[in-house]
Amino acid sequence: MLDIAAIRTQFPILGREIYGKPLIYLDNAATSQHPQCVIERIADSYCRVNANVHRGVHTLSQEATNAHENARKRVQRFINARHSHEIIFTRGTTEAINLVAHSFGEAFLHDGDEVIVTTMEHHSNIVPWQLLQSRKDIKLRVIPINERGELDMEVFRNLFTERTRLVSVMHASNVLGTINPIEEIIACAHAHGVPVLIDGAQGVPHLAVDVQRLDADFYVFSAHKVYGPTGIGVLYGKEKWLDAMPPYQGGGEMIAQVSFERTTFNELPYKFEAGTPDYVGTAAFATALDWIEATGFEAMKAHEDDLLQYATQRLYEIDGMRILGTADHKTPVISFLVDNIHHYDMGMLLDKLGIAVRTGHHCAQPLMHTLGIEGTVRASFAVYNTREEIDAFVAAVNRVSNMLR
Ligand code: PMP
């Protein structure tokens, strides 16, 4: 059992008041808050260590380089990648998917080829493929969902054609909370000789990920959703794919030799890391992963599962409550609507009561279209949330609903 009260004291922001009420932060699927150790690591990097990484012979540069490269090994261990050079640092999930769409797309996708995605994808796993469509005549094939918000695996198995070149699907939905059967998806795609990209932005915070056991070809996620800093993301890719893909951006770091006649590229991972990396961010990200490990990932998950069950059951006590996404396996994310109350009104009034939830389409407009709605109110939980906060949240939703009805 975790001591949640003790964990909360490590998060300075949780001491804030909003409109004179204690902050109840239920927007963790958008970004999680930071423990003191992560904040201190950022300050410490700037106070004691700061210097540009790689190639510097002076002490500060070597220390900064070590911190950055140790962070890469820390991420490697977190998701059990075979090699540390299979970990590419990006600005986030979005940049990681754009990198693959651009670079894998350049090398492996041709006119007439097909990429399989799902109805529930975040825009960041839709639009990069559409940008590629301006250069190549590729098609998106879409796996539909059932009324519970689960993928229709029967349809998925029949979407493969001889032109399928990639399956690109989310591990878990940021709207519905659905945990997709990615083991089955990967096995099925591989049986057709097709590689798979997993958007793990909502997977990594709540599910233990072992990329070798999964046999994922690409797995991408953002540090800021796992208690780490903003502006850092990870592209894990199997060496064989990354080696065969051309660079994404050009500049410093990513080259071996440059002349005006001919440039050769650096080895992995640097081939994909043009320019000065966010080495302060990567070091703090490693601290966040250490913090998760020290706190206990499985215990965190058990607590979050408890919050999900409790909040679901309590929300259904409210008249007119409709929860979107009722899959058996969910991350601690609840999207809901009450009667015909607008999600935006609900979110605004909850804020006045100190409660932070997200409202809108959650960067998943095709999913909203499928559900026949414009948006939802979304509450999402992290390890520092409590049953008492959920009680206050449910009481607030009830109060706001009665006001607006
Ligand atoms: N995919 C999913 C499933 C997400 O939830 C998010 C963040 N909302 C993203 C991609 C994009 O992540 P980022 O903004 O950190 O690049």
XYZ file of all heavy atoms in Angstrom, residues 192-224:
251
model
N 1.545 -10.962 -41.022
C 1.433 -10.464 -42.399
C 2.737 -9.800 -42.855
O 2.767 -9.163 -43.918
C 0.297 -9.430 -42.520
C -1.075 -10.023 -42.451
N -1.746 -10.234 -41.263
C -1.900 -10.461 -43.431
C -2.928 -10.770 -41.514
N -3.048 -10.924 -42.822
N 3.771 -9.859 -42.025
C 5.050 -9.238 -42.383
C 5.015 -7.722 -42.286
O 5.813 -7.018 -42.919
N 4.089 -7.175 -41.473
C 3.909 -5.713 -41.385
C 4.390 -5.214 -40.018
O 3.984 -5.750 -38.984
C 2.409 -5.359 -41.585
C 2.164 -3.875 -41.346
C 1.942 -5.780 -42.968
N 5.233 -4.175 -39.991
C 5.688 -3.619 -38.706
C 4.606 -2.771 -38.032
O 3.643 -2.357 -38.678
C 6.886 -2.740 -39.100
C 6.646 -2.380 -40.524
C 5.868 -3.509 -41.140
N 4.811 -2.512 -36.716
C 3.790 -1.811 -35.931
C 4.409 -0.673 -35.125
O 5.439 -0.853 -34.471
C 3.091 -2.791 -34.954
C 2.015 -2.066 -34.148
C 2.486 -3.960 -35.704
N 3.750 0.489 -35.185
C 4.094 1.619 -34.321
C 3.029 1.715 -33.242
O 1.835 1.688 -33.545
C 4.135 2.932 -35.113
C 4.475 4.208 -34.320
C 5.169 5.225 -35.239
C 3.286 4.874 -33.659
N 3.466 1.819 -31.978
C 2.519 2.014 -30.883
C 2.699 3.424 -30.330
O 3.799 3.807 -29.914
C 2.750 0.990 -29.741
C 2.659 -0.457 -30.255
C 1.755 1.240 -28.603
C 1.298 -0.893 -30.737
N 1.576 4.182 -30.332
C 1.548 5.484 -29.663
C 1.290 5.199 -28.185
O 0.163 4.912 -27.783
C 0.438 6.353 -30.267
C 0.184 7.609 -29.441
O 0.823 7.785 -28.388
O -0.676 8.413 -29.853
N 2.367 5.264 -27.418
C 2.282 4.889 -26.000
C 2.077 6.063 -25.060
O 2.271 5.922 -23.846
N 1.634 7.213 -25.593
C 1.483 8.409 -24.737
C 0.607 8.121 -23.520
O 0.896 8.583 -22.418
C 0.891 9.568 -25.552
N -0.450 7.332 -23.724
C -1.346 7.011 -22.601
C -1.087 5.606 -22.052
O -1.770 5.169 -21.125
C -2.814 7.120 -23.045
C -3.214 8.501 -23.522
C -3.190 9.552 -22.412
O -3.299 9.230 -21.225
N -3.033 10.813 -22.798
N -0.117 4.908 -22.653
C 0.190 3.555 -22.167
C 1.245 3.589 -21.080
O 1.046 3.071 -19.967
N 2.359 4.240 -21.386
C 3.505 4.257 -20.483
C 3.178 4.748 -19.060
O 3.713 4.223 -18.095
C 4.644 5.078 -21.142
C 5.564 5.690 -20.127
C 5.429 4.178 -22.087
N 2.272 5.742 -18.900
C 2.009 6.184 -17.528
C 1.340 5.115 -16.647
O 1.434 5.204 -15.429
C 1.048 7.375 -17.713
C 1.257 7.836 -19.111
C 1.610 6.606 -19.893
N 0.678 4.146 -17.257
C -0.132 3.232 -16.446
C 0.154 1.746 -16.675
O -0.367 0.906 -15.944
C -1.627 3.480 -16.717
C -2.019 4.904 -16.586
N -2.037 5.559 -15.375
C -2.365 5.835 -17.510
C -2.398 6.828 -15.563
N -2.600 7.014 -16.850
N 0.924 1.427 -17.701
C 1.122 0.019 -18.042
C 2.612 -0.265 -18.186
O 3.318 0.509 -18.842
C 0.416 -0.298 -19.377
C -1.077 0.042 -19.409
C -1.578 0.166 -20.845
C -1.860 -1.042 -18.678
N 3.072 -1.344 -17.586
C 4.486 -1.700 -17.714
C 4.746 -2.075 -19.174
O 4.010 -2.880 -19.744
C 4.808 -2.861 -16.795
N 5.755 -1.479 -19.770
C 6.026 -1.714 -21.193
C 7.385 -2.386 -21.358
O 8.386 -1.917 -20.832
C 5.991 -0.377 -21.975
C 6.482 -0.583 -23.405
C 4.581 0.198 -21.985
N 7.365 -3.499 -22.078
C 8.599 -4.211 -22.408
C 8.595 -4.356 -23.932
O 7.905 -5.218 -24.478
C 8.576 -5.579 -21.707
C 9.811 -6.411 -22.023
O 10.401 -6.233 -23.115
O 10.169 -7.249 -21.192
N 9.341 -3.475 -24.600
C 9.241 -3.433 -26.067
C 9.755 -4.713 -26.719
O 9.301 -5.077 -27.808
C 9.946 -2.195 -26.674
C 9.185 -0.918 -26.353
C 11.401 -2.104 -26.259
N 10.678 -5.405 -26.031
C 11.165 -6.659 -26.625
C 10.116 -7.758 -26.512
O 9.897 -8.528 -27.448
C 12.456 -7.097 -25.941
C 13.635 -6.201 -26.275
C 14.933 -6.767 -25.765
O 15.453 -7.737 -26.312
N 15.444 -6.172 -24.709
N 9.473 -7.825 -25.341
C 8.436 -8.853 -25.177
C 7.269 -8.572 -26.132
O 6.722 -9.460 -26.765
C 7.949 -8.898 -23.722
C 7.161 -10.151 -23.361
C 6.667 -10.122 -21.930
N 5.951 -8.899 -21.607
C 4.707 -8.617 -21.996
N 4.033 -9.492 -22.723
N 4.146 -7.480 -21.663
N 6.903 -7.266 -26.242
C 5.828 -6.885 -27.161
C 6.214 -7.145 -28.609
O 5.376 -7.365 -29.460
C 5.526 -5.388 -27.034
C 4.694 -4.895 -25.859
C 4.673 -3.377 -25.847
C 3.273 -5.442 -25.952
N 7.530 -7.040 -28.869
C 8.061 -7.107 -30.226
C 7.572 -5.921 -31.073
O 7.374 -6.042 -32.288
C 7.694 -8.451 -30.885
C 8.647 -8.788 -32.027
O 9.760 -8.214 -32.062
O 8.268 -9.605 -32.895
N 7.370 -4.757 -30.396
C 6.953 -3.535 -31.118
C 8.099 -3.075 -32.010
O 9.267 -3.138 -31.615
C 6.593 -2.434 -30.129
N 7.770 -2.575 -33.186
C 8.807 -2.058 -34.089
C 9.147 -0.620 -33.717
O 10.318 -0.229 -33.771
C 8.318 -2.165 -35.532
C 8.084 -3.610 -35.902
O 9.038 -4.275 -36.314
O 6.945 -4.103 -35.714
N 8.115 0.146 -33.343
C 8.290 1.512 -32.842
C 7.364 1.673 -31.637
O 6.212 1.202 -31.669
C 7.889 2.558 -33.894
C 8.673 2.476 -35.183
C 8.121 1.840 -36.302
C 9.940 3.019 -35.287
C 8.830 1.757 -37.494
C 10.661 2.948 -36.470
C 10.108 2.309 -37.580
N 7.861 2.357 -30.612
C 7.011 2.676 -29.459
C 7.360 4.104 -29.060
O 8.532 4.425 -28.860
C 7.273 1.703 -28.298
C 6.202 1.797 -27.221
C 5.177 0.861 -27.125
C 6.205 2.857 -26.306
C 4.178 0.969 -26.168
C 5.210 2.966 -25.338
C 4.212 2.017 -25.276
O 3.220 2.126 -24.326
N 6.362 4.985 -28.998
C 6.639 6.411 -28.757
C 5.850 6.911 -27.547
O 4.745 6.443 -27.284
C 6.287 7.265 -30.005
C 7.066 6.795 -31.217
C 4.792 7.230 -30.313
N 6.443 7.829 -26.799
C 5.723 8.419 -25.659
C 6.354 9.738 -25.239
O 7.406 10.128 -25.765
C 5.645 7.436 -24.476
C 6.970 7.004 -23.895
C 7.442 7.568 -22.717
C 7.741 6.018 -24.505
C 8.652 7.165 -22.158
C 8.940 5.603 -23.969
C 9.396 6.182 -22.786
N 5.667 10.430 -24.310
C 6.094 11.755 -23.840
C 6.461 11.703 -22.366
O 5.739 11.090 -21.566
C 4.962 12.774 -23.998
O 4.572 12.884 -25.344
N 7.532 12.415 -22.002
C 7.974 12.436 -20.594
C 6.973 13.157 -19.696
O 6.795 12.795 -18.537
C 9.336 13.122 -20.500
N 6.304 14.183 -20.246
C 5.482 15.022 -19.371
C 4.217 14.336 -18.870
O 3.505 14.872 -18.033
C 5.122 16.350 -20.066
C 4.175 16.209 -21.223
N 2.817 16.319 -21.063
C 4.377 15.945 -22.532
C 2.231 16.152 -22.252
N 3.159 15.921 -23.155
